[in-house]
Structures are given as structure tokens and as C-alpha cells.
Amino acid sequence: MEPKRFGFTGKSLRINLTSGEIKVVDISDQFTDWLGGSGFAAKTLFEETFADLMPFEPANKIIFSAGALVGTLAPGANKMNISTIGPVTGGWATGSSDSYVGIELKNAGYDNVIVEGRSRFPCYLWVSDEKVEIRDASAYWGLDTWQFVDSIREDLGDPSLHAVVIGPAGENLVRGACVIQDKYRAFGRCGTGAVMGSKNMKALICKGKKPISIADKETFLKVVKRCREKILNSPRTENFRKYGTLSCIQPKQDMCAVPYKNFQEAIFPPALVEKIDPKKMVDKYQIARQSFPGCVIGCGRFLEITDGPYRGLVTQANQCEVVAGLIGKLAVEEPTFMFKVNSECNKRGLDVDFVAGTIAWAMECFQRGILTVEDTGGLSLQWGDEELILQLIDMITNRDGFGNLLAEGCKRASEILKRGSDRYCIHLKGQELYETLRGSNAWALGAITSTRGGGHTTGAVVYEQTGPKTEDEKKIALEKFAIENFDDPQEYKGKPELVYYFEVLHRVSNSLGICHFNTIWQDLEYMDIYDIADLLSSATGISFTVEKLREIAMRQLNIEKAINIKLANFSREDDMPDERELFEAIPSGNLAGWKFDLQKLNRMLDEYYELHGWDKGTSYPTRKVLQRYGLTHVADQLERIGKLGESTAEEE
């Protein structure tokens, strides 16, 4: 008789699309070291990939994970994780999304699904209480995500079905293709949708009825109540509930943290800010709110555009990245374009930051005469041209003409084009940069060291740009972090410690399935790592201290780092901003004239590596630190390829 497990199921589905083999593996012995979710995925990918693996090879794996708190009443525990070796950076690739499929996967009795191989025909995976099947998806290949969801629900006679699905961009191996939950939520960044496409896999659909058991229900419910009250009692919650991350645009404008015309400016023109005010747009067009199970905030909004060029569009509101990227980077002035372009990317299964960064690169190259109409097939790449942007999105999706170059992403495209075009490709580790780095040092440090490349959800400190503002908030932050000058974004001291704190919080949240916006990453009064330790301990019946969670998070970070070293050959030079962000001063706005002090930035990076026990010259983990986290086998592999960090005399 199987032992009863609480919170997590301890079971993994392994599916080989080449052979058709499906098996269930007991992974319960790995839970206390890796938690599941992105942590388990990182371990699996490091141990089961070889050094010269290419992302589109059948041997690559894509892992769908639902953490131990997903499907419970834990606040914000509605995130599913997808991880692989990605086609954008060539290394660690991971993304999370609000997901009904993750909850259904847990209810079907599995913590994750590991997929490898390549199907001989287009397929989708069906996972339920009764059976697991590789089903023919030939009839659905070529459909966009909205069409697929509508069609599969009608064909199977079940309007309650949910899917994580790729669109035509993933099928056509566009490197920035992403996976979409149903129609509106994306597993953003890293090109996970292209890896699914390379496997001829259209979708994963789960349907489960098994309950998720809680070990100590009384204590768990008390902790849930405490955490919910923290969120509900915060004065910032209502604003975030109404507008989601769109509420961040004005604070970011004040901080010179929104890119305009491919980062040529770090603020929007004041007239544009007033014209595109996303709060006004939501107030004007909202028809309903939307939330996912367990979320205390519920920041989703359904909209119907009732006027203007996109009249009749019914969709969900986008997040702030779309405003910063597909409005700001491309200098669009039509306010409703953000909703239109977000919907078109979701339908095609395209990452919005990939699209914005790549098209912005092309537009600046055209502006500077590096690209001409002879290169673009007759297209004049003018800033703010909405019709052109939508045309380019379609061309990227289908790898049509000039779109075939853009489908590679700006770094690869610039390497193909040459002509000095790499100067205008704004990226980190090969992935298009969303975030402006200048002027926010903890935000910048978290982004440049992010193992997945060009992201702010694995360590960047968001309240450098959005708070804290009041003296009470500053006092709370000082008590939590014990770091002076933490609220000065341009200060360099103490920032490695801040990033370390959020590297831990983010990895624990991603592994357990908790939305970052329900934690102190969003608001200092929300759930912190101590609350999460209490939730997890009472849910699973296994004691997890904060120290234990820190150890697990650092173990995961070190193996993510090792994946990048082994597969993508990343080193210290890849933990630096691009030339524009590094050397150019902010042109205008409240921080006009500010730029990085290169000496202080490098010292901050040194301190970051020292904090982690990594080699400052290369950024490589040392044997000592890897052994500390039980990763001797990782140290052995890195040593064999000559990429193990050297310990200092003090460490020895």
C-alpha cells in the first residue's frame, strides 16, 4: 500500500513521444531537497542532458510542473511551471503562469510531466484520473491558441476543459514562441513554445478529480487566514486588484524605468503618458473581472473595446510589459493598441518581450540606415506604425520573408546581418531585455545575473521602482532586510544581499506554485518566506524552516548556473548589461545624466559572487559551495569540462 502523501503526490509522468512509452515514476524521495516545480526541473535537466545538446533535439526535455501548494487554499498557489533547455539562450529556460491545468494535473495525481523525444505526427497529451494518452492533433495543427481551445472543447464535448497550448509560432520554431494557458495567460520568455513545437506537441490537457490532502488542516487554515489578512489589509491591494501591473507604469516613468524607441530614452514623452494611461483604458473598457483559484487579489480584467481602430475586440487586459515594450519601445501612440497586440501575440503563442525587443532592434537599425527596404522586402520600418507591427508579428509567426530573420531574435539576427547592428540589440544572455536597468541597482543586479536571461522574476527587487514610499514602509523594510540605503535605487551597497533575499523567495515560490504578487516582492506587508515555511510545513507534515528553504533555493540556483555553464558557456561577461545600458547616460527625466559607475558595478558584482561562494573571475561555482549543497556530481561534471570555479585561499 502506498504511503499517504500530503500537498505533493510524489509521482512524475514520463512520456517519450518517439517510442510512445508512458510510465509513472515515484519521485517522493526528492521532495525535501528540491520541493518540486522549477527546482525538480532544474535537477532533472542538468542530470539528463549532455554538454552539446541543442534545444530542438528530441533528447531535450520539457517539464510541466505543479508545486506542492498548487490546488490548496494557500494564497496565490495557482502557478504552473514549464522548464526546458531553451532556444533563446541555449541554457536554462523556465516560465510560470496562472494555470488551471496545473491544478488539474495535481488532481489527476501527478506533480509533473516530463516529455522527451519527438512524435511522428502532431499530437497532444491527455492526462486524467483514468488514463494518460498521446492523442493525434493533426486536425488542430496550424490553429492559433484561441481556435484550438474552442475546437477541443467542442470536439470533446466539455466546455470546462483547459489546455496549455502552443500557436503557429511554436509550430514554426520561432525562438521566442511561448506556451499559453487557454487564451490569455502566457508562460513567458525563453522559447518554451518552440521546444514543444520541435516535439510535434500541440498541447497538454489535464482533467482530475482526486483531492489534495493536507497534513495539519487546522494549522494550515490558520496560516492561510493570517496570510490572506496580510494581503487584504494592505492599502495597496485594491489598486493592484483593479489594474494589476498596469498600475506600475507611472512609478516607472518617474524612475526613468520605461524604455522608449529601443531604450534610446528611459521615459515616455509626457504627452504619450497622458494619452495611453492604462488605468483610464481599463476603467473605460472593463466588462468583468477574472481570477484564478486561491488568488487573494484577482488582477485579471476582461475588456471590450467599444471604439477606435480595434472596436469589437473582446480580450483580457495585458500586463505592464506590453505597455513598456510594444507601446514604448516601438513608439506607438494609439492607447488601445496594447490590448490588440497582446491578443495577437497570445493567439500566435509569441512572447511579447521577444517581439517588442526584436522589432525595436529592426526599427532602430532602419532609422540608422543599417537596414534598408532592400533587406526588409520593401517594408519601411517606421516608429509607431501599428499596421506594420501587426504585419511583422504575422511574418515572424510564419517565418515569412524578413520575418524569418526576426524569428531568430535580435541577437542571432544581428549576428546574421552584421553591419554593426549588434550595437542596437538590447539583450541579456541573448534574450531581449524588457527592463530598463539604469538607475535601479538592485533591480539591475537581479536582472543581469538572472540565470534564464533578461528577466526580473528570479531576484530583481521591484520596490526599488514602485516603493517603499512612506516612513512606515521604510521601517518595515529595514527590519526585514537590515540593510541601510536599501530604498536608494542608485546606491550600490547592500544590493547583493537584497537580490539574494529575493532569489530565495522567487525560487521557493516558483517551486511551490505561488504567485510572486501575493508575496513581499510586490508589497512589504504581504506573505514572506516565514509565512511560506509555515504553509508548506502544515500542508505536507514535513518541517521546513526558513533556513531549510534558503538551502533548497540556493541548491537550485547553483544547478541552474551549472546548466548555463555546461550548455551555454556563460561566464562573468554574460552577467553584465549591454553597451547602451552600461555606457550611455539616461538622456532625460528625473535621472537625466545618470549612468552606471563601472567600477562600483563590478564591485557590486564581486560582492554578489562572494555572497554565493562563486569564483569572482569567472562567476563559476566552486567545488566547496557545490559540495555544501550536496552537488558533488555537478562539481565533477564542471571540472571535467574545465569550468569549475577556483576557491580562494580563505575558502580553502
Side-chain angles (χ1 to χ4, degrees), residues 62-94:
I62 187 163
I63 303 174
F64 305 82
S65 303
L69 294 178
V70 169
T72 74
L73 294 176
N78 48 48
K79 292 284 187 178
M80 187 179 186
N81 181 266
I82 300 178
S83 301
T84 188
I85 303 302
V88 179
T89 70
W92 169 244
T94 187

Side-chain angles (χ1 to χ4, degrees), residues 472-502:
D472 285 344
E473 288 173 321
K474 292 179 182 180
K475 183 179 179 181
I476 292 171
L478 188 59
E479 290 172 352
K480 284 185 179 294
F481 309 121
I483 298 169
E484 297 288 349
N485 300 318
F486 72 92
D487 58 331
D488 180 356
Q490 292 85 52
E491 175 60 60
Y492 291 86
K493 294 180 181 178
K495 299 308 169 74
E497 290 83 0
L498 272 177
V499 169
Y500 182 98
Y501 186 99
F502 286 101

